[in-house]
Amino acid sequence: MKRILALDGGGIRGVFTLEVLVKIEELLREYYAKQDPEKAKSFVLRDHFDFLAGTSTGAIIAACLCWGMPVKKVKELYLREGKKMFAQWSKLKDKLNAKYDPGPISDFLQRIFREEDGKIATLASSQLRNGEKENLLMVVVRNLTTGSAWPLTNNPLAMFNDPNLPDCNTQIPLWQLVRASTAAPVFFPPETITLGETQYVFVDGSITPYSNPALVAALTAILPGYRVNWAPGPENIRVVSVGTIAFSSEVPIGDPKLRLGLLVKQIPNAIMQTLSALLQSTGWQQDYLCRCLGECIFAEKLEGQPLDIEVGNLLAGSLESTLPAGRSWFSYVRYNRTFRKKEMLKILEDNPRLKEIDAVDAIPHLSAIGKAYAEENVKIEHLI
């Protein structure tokens, strides 16, 4: 079986993702220890997963894991460097371009992604490929210059990864590609990358449809045009998708946020509500499509609230999961924690900024939520 690990965008809420991954790594290490105790001591997630995909904060984590880091080391980096990555500008004029200075996160990524000889690593780095296992890495960015989503991989056979091309994608420095994927508009300035003789401006992959990159990663593995060519089928491909906590964008009747008119004081509410609704809708759709095209082994069951009232949760073995024709392309596991209605209001009352991607003061709470969720929901049978 081929295995894909897909990691959502969500800024500092990636701490939740890391707690789930800590549990995944622990369970898999125990599982492999029964077969080869000595080898299991050095086990990392890229030894189990063949393809690691990430968007925004998920791109940082996926790249670190594909580089060969254990999850606990990545978590330590987040806990130690998290506040530094959201550093205020020192000059007032710079704040007109973005809320935060990209310098600290750029320096952080450049320190990590270097070859053994000290040179800056590119997307073609052999350190991403784990010897004979040849791991795949996907980083999702949005190319503002072309107006399109770019889910870039290190697949040497991909159409735009031909080293004979003057603008070969694998020439991109890995740190710069990951930084581009985290360049959330308003929060961080775009990243300019030169390919051949052309300069492109990139921003956060989360403003593409692939803030949850699970589906695009699975399609990249299966569709012939991407030249990975994995055999489809739930017995052949397992997709494990991990989110960064979801908050409902529902607004109660009478709430002033419902006033989305053109009065000046209403415009900020209108913009934020629209963006929040779009991000939530695309995330929901990606999960929904994965459950339709894949055999969904596990996904969060919201109390009294299925994924969709008409179709249910589409979990394997349930009546609603029986498709009228065809077969599943992959098996699918989705880990995420969703807060709705009263529960959401309560947790935001205690931690008002928990929803924000730059809520560095909420790191301990994000960690606690992730640990509790992982302990209750992550099972070895979901992973093998």
Side-chain angles (χ1 to χ4, degrees):
M1 180 182 285
K2 297 288 189 180
R3 300 177 178 90
I4 298 172
L5 179 63
L7 308 176
D8 288 15
I12 201 62
R13 296 203 310 270
V15 171
F16 169 88
T17 306
L18 285 163
E19 293 294 0
V20 174
L21 294 175
V22 165
K23 185 64 178 179
I24 289 175
E25 193 171 74
E26 287 176 354
L27 290 177
L28 287 171
R29 186 173 286 119
E30 292 172 5
Y31 172 79
Y32 285 112
K34 296 174 183 177
Q35 303 170 32
D36 189 339
E38 196 59 35
K39 190 174 181 180
K41 291 178 183 178
S42 60
F43 172 84
V44 290
L45 285 185
R46 76 172 187 175
D47 296 331
H48 182 77
F49 291 98
D50 304 273
F51 190 169
L52 297 100
T55 301
S56 196
T57 196
I60 297 176
I61 299 170
C64 287
L65 297 179
C66 202
W67 197 251
M69 290 187 191
V71 179
K72 286 186 176 179
K73 182 176 180 181
V74 185
K75 177 184 164 183
E76 287 170 5
L77 289 172
Y78 264 65
L79 297 181
R80 188 176 71 242
E81 305 284 344
K83 290 186 178 181
K84 298 177 187 176
M85 286 193 277
F86 292 92
Q88 298 284 348
W89 290 98
S90 58
K91 296 181 181 178
L92 181 61
K93 66 179 181 66
D94 293 323
K95 294 182 180 180
L96 299 176
N97 298 318
K99 187 175 181 180
Y100 297 114
D101 179 357
I105 191 169
S106 297
D107 292 343
F108 163 74
L109 294 171
Q110 288 183 64
R111 289 196 306 270
I112 293 173
F113 300 119
R114 288 185 177 272
E115 303 289 2
E116 292 182 357
D117 60 5
K119 291 182 180 178
I120 294 290
T122 67
L123 186 58
S125 174
S126 60
Q127 289 202 53
L128 293 171
R129 303 191 69 81
N130 200 15
E132 294 181 2
K133 197 167 190 296
E134 295 194 347
N135 294 83
L136 290 174
L137 172 67
M138 172 183 284
V139 174
V140 180
V141 293
R142 175 173 173 78
N143 189 328
L144 280 184
T145 309
T146 63
S148 55
W150 278 27
L152 300 179
T153 74
N154 62 334
N155 173 22
L157 300 179
M159 181 181 293
F160 299 107
N161 289 356
D162 182 346
N164 295 313
L165 294 173
D167 55 353
C168 172
N169 285 338
T170 55
Q171 296 174 1
I172 299 174
L174 183 56
W175 77 266
Q176 201 171 20
L177 180 60
V178 174
R179 214 298 278 180
S181 187
T182 67
V186 178
F187 292 93
F188 291 101
E191 183 73 21
T192 300
I193 296 175
T194 301
L195 282 172
E197 298 180 355
T198 306
Q199 281 193 332
Y200 295 100
V201 178
F202 292 94
V203 293
D204 192 351
S206 287
I207 59 170
T208 72
Y210 313 127
S211 184
N212 171 356
L215 181 60
V216 70
L219 295 179
T220 298
I222 294 169
L223 296 179
Y226 294 111
R227 305 176 184 179
V228 177
N229 294 320
W230 288 358
E235 72 283 7
N236 294 324
I237 301 174
R238 172 71 47 84
V239 177
V240 177
S241 173
V242 187
T244 55
I245 303 180
F247 292 93
S248 172
S249 61
E250 57 197 316
V251 182
I253 296 294
D255 192 301
K257 291 179 182 176
L258 286 173
R259 300 171 190 158
L260 304 182
L262 294 178
L263 295 177
V264 171
K265 67 179 181 180
Q266 295 172 351
I267 290 175
N269 282 339
I271 293 172
M272 293 310 297
Q273 283 295 300
T274 301
L275 290 175
S276 177
L278 286 171
L279 289 171
Q280 185 186 56
S281 297
T282 54
W284 179 92
Q285 185 193 53
Q286 296 299 303
D287 184 20
Y288 175 66
L289 290 173
C290 281
R291 297 192 200 193
C292 291
L293 294 174
E295 180 182 288
C296 186
I297 294 171
F298 176 84
E300 180 184 18
K301 296 179 183 178
L302 298 178
E303 187 174 346
Q305 181 69 49
L307 179 72
D308 183 275
I309 293 173
E310 291 184 289
V311 302
N313 282 308
L314 296 171
L315 294 174
S318 62
L319 182 63
E320 66 262 18
S321 72
T322 305
L323 298 179
R327 67 193 293 264
S328 300
W329 287 13
F330 49 85
S331 52
Y332 175 65
V333 172
R334 174 65 173 170
Y335 293 128
N336 203 17
R337 176 70 167 91
T338 302
F339 291 97
R340 292 178 57 89
K341 295 184 178 178
K342 291 182 179 179
E343 186 184 24
M344 179 180 71
L345 294 175
K346 176 67 173 78
I347 197 168
L348 292 179
E349 183 180 336
D350 297 336
N351 297 270
R353 295 194 67 250
L354 195 63
K355 289 175 69 172
E356 308 302 327
I357 68 170
D358 59 343
V360 291
D361 51 327
I363 287 175
H365 202 169
L366 291 165
S367 180
I369 294 170
K371 285 179 182 177
Y373 177 88
E375 197 61 38
E376 181 179 355
N377 295 285
V378 179
K379 310 294 180 188
I380 189 63
E381 54 266 29
H382 301 162
L383 310 171
I384 56 175

